[in-house]
Amino acid sequence: MTNEAIAENFSLLSKLMDIHGDNSFKAKSYSSAAFTIDKLPVELSTLPADKIFAQRGIGESTGKRILEQLETGRLALLDEYIQKTPAGILEMLHIKGLGPKKIATIWKELEIETLGELLYACNENRLMLYKGFGEKTQHNIRESIEFYFGSLGSYLYQQMESLAINATKKLREHFPDNSFLPTGAYRKQDEIVEILQWVTTCPIDSITNFLEAQQFEIITKTDDYLTVKSKENVSLGFYCCSEQHLYQKLFDTSCSEAFLNAWKNRFNWNPEQYYKQEEAIFEAAGIPFIPPYLREDPTIIDKAVAKRLPRVIQESDIRGIIHSHSKWSDGSNTLEEMANAAIEKGLEYLVISDHSQSAFYASGLDIDRVYAQHQQIDELNSKLGNFRIYKSIESDILNDGSLDYPDEVLAEFDLVIASIHSNLKMQEDKAMMRLINAIENPYTSILGHMTGRLLLSRNGYPVNHAKIIDACVANDVVIELNAHPRRLDIDWRWIDKAVEKGVLISINPDAHSIEGYDDCRFGVLVAQKAGLTKENNLSSFSKEAFEAFLVQQHSKR
Ligand SMILES: [Zn+2]
Ligand SMILES: [Zn+2]
């Protein structure tokens, strides 16, 4: 074993001991041993045992552990620590700006065990509440985590979007005589994009030369397909074809495999056929244009044949903000700022739903503060004209599935959003017990982020979607489509099944700042994939229709 490897082991051991809050004296001695060994002019493996113990800065117990490593290649104590540390906590050591002390706070006090959860906590301003974490630290941690995730190679749609737009612009500028049409997952508005792809008439060697000069690494190159990787680890792919095949290739690469197979079985598919536009492919088949975002489940073809394609929701159909946080709990803007920003966006109402009392980490509202907030809402409503703020709460669903206040307090809210935030590690039966109890509570109007998933970071707890949907129908509960680009929860693949049964969906931004309102768009993009219409989306209701909805909800109480 080299000195470097031994020093690394000691250094990691001392960090892990600090994270676990164990013997800080020993942890210090291991870290100084690491420092000393790293600087030694001779390799320890070349020295006899007594010479090792004679080195300055190496004591009895570190000396023994050096011998152990030289003999066995391992450091048993370190292995023990690695064993009892969650993988996500070990990963945090890769994040610039996160030392053992901060990691210990994150793990033991915030109860966060993965980087994805930590990133989300930064977005919710949760770190700032703890000793040693200011706004600037939180910001730096967020940036380092994003960088680290980027290095793993998969991205949220939202992270890829501006890149796709800029890259398309640059390519078209550089090759003005060639077409560059975005395709693939990005064109389908998938929630996760692994590779940005284009269909192009540009010769493959020309693009290759251009991208190589821009420091892209060539990954694969065939006669007609090229993939490259950027310095930031973003993958780009190019389908190169003739003008003649351009739109067929575009169609071909912007639908799911199941859709494409069904299409080829149903309609004549001549690979040599020339189409002037993608629309012409649909005209030739005698059916209306199916947008790429809907080319997932092949049953959409039947709907197109029957001329029953859904008129999917648009961003402009959002008329109110439902589910948002203010400075009363963990948001970054005051209630008044949140209201004014919604007014400026031309929206008709704001449902303010700060965290409930059990969410101590998010400064959840105790009963007195609930009433104080209601007073402020009344005052603001009296001066905001037609615009209206509704009193809501994002109530934690407690361990037994009950909500977070007694009934007489719940009765004071215009509506209650029920979400699970604590004890996320559970089996399906436990999760279902909590969720179903919450859905059956007559004060629950909306079920928040159903599975608790964080895309690319944390799987949600396991749930039985069909049973939840049935319970929501039976209890007249709306299912949220949380529009945060890392959540997008309920998964869009379940939305049409819910709507068919009669469930109302609500595209909610879960905004923790004014900027958070813009996330509605990402909810709309995946809702389009599900064929959701504005009629089936609560946040598209006019203020009048929304109030009628509230009256109906209150009749449950
Ligand atoms: Zn929440
Ligand atoms: Zn929330």
Side-chain angles (χ1 to χ4, degrees):
M1 250 182 131
T2 62
N3 287 1
E4 196 188 340
I6 294 171
E8 251 171 46
N9 278 348
F10 278 133
S11 162
L12 181 57
L13 175 61
S14 104
K15 285 177 189 161
L16 290 178
M17 289 180 84
D18 278 338
I19 290 173
H20 283 265
D22 292 346
N23 196 328
S24 70
F25 176 76
K26 276 217 160 130
K28 253 197 206 101
S29 77
Y30 290 131
S31 97
S32 68
F35 185 79
T36 309
I37 293 166
D38 213 26
K39 298 255 170 314
L40 280 182
V42 292
E43 281 294 321
L44 288 163
S45 57
T46 64
L47 298 177
D50 55 327
K51 282 269 169 61
I52 291 176
F53 284 92
Q55 296 293 328
R56 266 183 78 149
I58 290 175
E60 181 71 19
S61 104
T62 28
K64 277 192 193 148
R65 295 203 189 278
I66 292 172
L67 288 181
E68 177 198 347
Q69 293 179 74
L70 289 173
E71 280 160 22
T72 67
R74 314 230 32 106
L75 180 54
L77 186 61
L78 175 61
D79 290 344
E80 266 171 50
Y81 271 96
I82 290 175
Q83 269 285 317
K84 61 181 181 185
T85 312
I89 298 293
L90 289 167
E91 232 184 343
M92 283 179 202
L93 288 164
H94 297 296
I95 300 302
K96 220 176 81 204
L98 278 185
K101 260 211 186 104
K102 288 200 171 67
I103 295 177
T105 307
I106 289 164
W107 185 20
K108 301 292 179 185
E109 293 185 46
L110 282 90
E111 294 181 355
I112 285 174
E113 292 190 356
T114 69
L115 281 178
E117 293 170 275
L118 182 58
L119 180 59
Y120 197 78
C122 290
N123 292 335
E124 288 193 329
N125 295 318
R126 276 175 56 193
L127 260 55
M128 284 163 60
L129 307 168
Y130 290 85
K131 212 178 136 227
F133 294 88
E135 194 168 352
K136 197 157 170 239
T137 318
Q138 179 176 278
H139 177 83
N140 292 341
I141 292 174
R142 173 170 23 198
E143 290 206 323
S144 328
I145 299 175
E146 276 168 355
F147 182 82
Y148 179 76
F149 276 150
S151 68
L152 302 177
S154 275
Y155 295 84
L156 301 176
Y157 177 94
Q158 168 238 13
Q159 296 171 313
M160 284 293 218
E161 192 176 36
S162 59
L163 236 121
I165 293 168
N166 289 336
T168 306
K169 192 166 158 254
K170 275 214 180 106
L171 289 161
R172 286 176 181 164
E173 273 167 12
H174 193 81
F175 299 101
D177 300 328
N178 296 111
S179 303
F180 281 90
L181 307 175
T183 189
Y186 171 70
R187 185 163 189 245
K188 284 184 17 254
Q189 300 170 194
D190 286 1
E191 62 275 41
I192 290 167
V193 179
E194 281 166 15
I195 179 166
L196 280 179
Q197 292 170 313
W198 288 264
V199 174
T200 180
T201 53
C202 187
I204 195 158
D205 288 333
S206 312
I207 316 179
T208 310
N209 294 340
F210 173 64
L211 292 173
E212 258 178 336
Q214 311 271 324
Q215 313 293 318
F216 283 86
E217 187 193 341
I218 309 299
I219 304 296
T220 53
K221 189 179 174 193
T222 65
D223 288 347
D224 53 5
Y225 188 56
L226 170 73
T227 63
V228 301
K229 207 172 245 183
S230 77
K231 285 199 296 285
E232 296 78 21
N233 206 25
V234 177
S235 300
L236 312 183
F238 298 88
Y239 296 98
C240 302
C241 61
S242 64
E243 188 77 45
Q244 152 115 354
H245 294 115
L246 185 66
Y247 288 103
Q248 226 183 59
K249 197 76 195 164
L250 179 66
F251 174 84
D252 219 75
T253 53
S254 48
C255 40
S256 74
E257 214 181 305
F259 178 96
L260 189 61
N261 290 335
W263 182 280
K264 287 183 178 172
N265 284 335
R266 185 157 191 157
F267 305 108
N268 285 330
W269 187 254
N270 172 6
E272 291 311 314
Q273 179 73 43
Y274 167 70
Y275 296 103
K276 222 168 107 189
Q277 274 174 337
E278 200 186 30
E279 283 79 356
I281 298 175
F282 291 85
E283 275 163 33
I287 63 169
F289 181 75
I290 304 174
Y293 53 74
L294 276 177
R295 299 178 202 159
E296 293 282 353
D297 190 322
T299 55
I300 196 74
I301 298 175
D302 298 320
K303 289 184 185 153
V305 169
K307 308 260 173 341
R308 281 195 1 257
L309 280 181
R311 290 181 57 140
V312 301
I313 187 163
Q314 305 296 319
E315 202 191 345
S316 55
D317 292 326
I318 302 290
R319 297 178 75 169
I321 294 292
I322 303 178
H323 193 164
S324 62
H325 300 263
S326 72
K327 271 197 167 159
W328 281 89
S329 67
D330 58 351
S332 343
N333 289 101
T334 65
L335 182 47
E336 189 165 12
E337 286 164 350
M338 294 300 277
N340 285 327
I343 293 170
E344 259 169 52
K345 283 189 172 293
L347 298 164
E348 299 172 34
Y349 53 95
L350 165 66
V351 175
I352 198 82
S353 52
D354 277 305
H355 286 285
S356 64
Q357 54 189 353
S358 289
F360 59 89
Y361 55 83
S363 320
L365 274 56
D366 61 24
I367 295 176
D368 287 342
R369 292 179 69 230
V370 166
Y371 288 129
Q373 189 189 50
H374 286 184
Q375 201 182 340
Q376 195 197 5
I377 293 175
D378 289 337
E379 284 163 17
L380 286 169
N381 274 336
S382 68
K383 61 177 191 191
L384 289 177
N386 272 333
F387 187 84
R388 189 152 171 107
I389 306 171
Y390 293 103
K391 296 165 186 163
S392 181
I393 196 85
E394 183 176 17
S395 171
D396 267 35
I397 296 174
L398 304 181
N399 241 333
D400 60 356
S402 54
L403 298 183
D404 205 6
Y405 299 103
D407 285 357
E408 64 268 25
V409 179
L410 292 172
E412 295 297 317
F413 295 108
D414 292 316
L415 73 160
V416 173
I417 301 173
S419 312
I420 292 182
H421 293 115
S422 57
N423 302 316
L424 299 168
K425 276 194 215 152
M426 50 186 169
Q427 306 291 318
E428 185 176 313
D429 51 350
K430 176 80 191 282
M432 289 300 288
M433 180 275 288
R434 291 172 79 183
L435 289 166
I436 298 289
N437 275 347
I439 293 165
E440 287 175 349
N441 191 308
Y443 291 97
T444 300
S445 293
I446 300 178
L447 179 62
H449 46 73
M450 181 197 282
T451 72
R453 76 175 184 186
L454 295 176
L455 290 169
L456 297 178
S457 333
R458 172 177 89 198
N459 292 326
Y461 36 81
V463 303
N464 181 326
H465 283 83
K467 278 192 182 152
I468 294 178
I469 289 168
D470 287 342
C472 287
V473 177
N475 295 281
D476 201 3
V477 167
V478 175
I479 296 180
E480 168 176 274
L481 166 52
N482 192 295
H484 190 284
R486 196 171 285 283
R487 286 194 184 267
L488 300 173
D489 183 10
I490 180 175
D491 190 282
W492 62 265
R493 292 161 190 84
W494 283 95
I495 289 180
D496 58 337
K497 296 168 187 75
V499 169
E500 264 166 39
K501 293 233 169 175
V503 175
L504 206 51
I505 301 294
S506 191
I507 299 177
N508 299 344
D510 197 357
H512 285 75
S513 66
I514 290 168
E515 295 75 36
Y517 288 168
D518 295 338
D519 286 346
C520 284
R521 207 170 82 72
F522 300 108
V524 169
L525 291 176
V526 289
Q528 290 180 334
K529 291 179 74 64
L532 185 71
T533 62
K534 64 177 177 183
E535 290 76 19
N536 291 317
N537 174 51
L538 180 64
S539 58
S540 300
F541 282 23
S542 68
K543 195 177 82 176
E544 291 67 33
F546 186 75
E547 290 198 345
F549 163 82
L550 291 181
V551 170
Q552 184 200 325
Q553 283 291 313
H554 291 191
S555 68
K556 293 198 300 192
R557 297 179 173 180

